[in-house]
Amino acid sequence: MIPLLTAVIPSPAADAAHDAAHATAARFRQGAYSVPCPECHVPAGVLCLARRNVHAARRNAYRKNPQTAGLVPLLVARAR
């Protein structure tokens, strides 16, 4: 019964973990966050304006042309 309740009623810790996962993916430009969002017009590496959500248009743009970037080039680019 308890696992069903946690799926229906999320805890504050689960909300924080979900927000942190989105923030980390955006910071390191992983997945859909590696392309700009055509709906809310934010650049790559920035969260969509919708809270804890990635617009479908952004996911589709990423799927059409997935870009892979390693961690080292991203860290070197931020240091400059």
Side-chain angles (χ1 to χ4, degrees), residues 25-26 28-48 54-68:
F28 293 108
R29 297 180 182 184
Q30 295 175 338
Y33 293 109
S34 65
V35 296
C37 183
E39 281 191 34
C40 57
H41 307 291
V42 295
V46 177
L47 294 170
C48 282
V54 177
H55 288 119
R58 191 176 203 172
R59 276 187 260 120
N60 289 338
Y62 169 70
R63 288 180 185 149
K64 286 180 183 175
N65 188 16
Q67 299 173 355
T68 58

Side-chain angles (χ1 to χ4, degrees), residues 72-80:
V72 173
L74 289 174
L75 292 176
V76 170
R78 289 185 186 260
R80 292 182 185 169

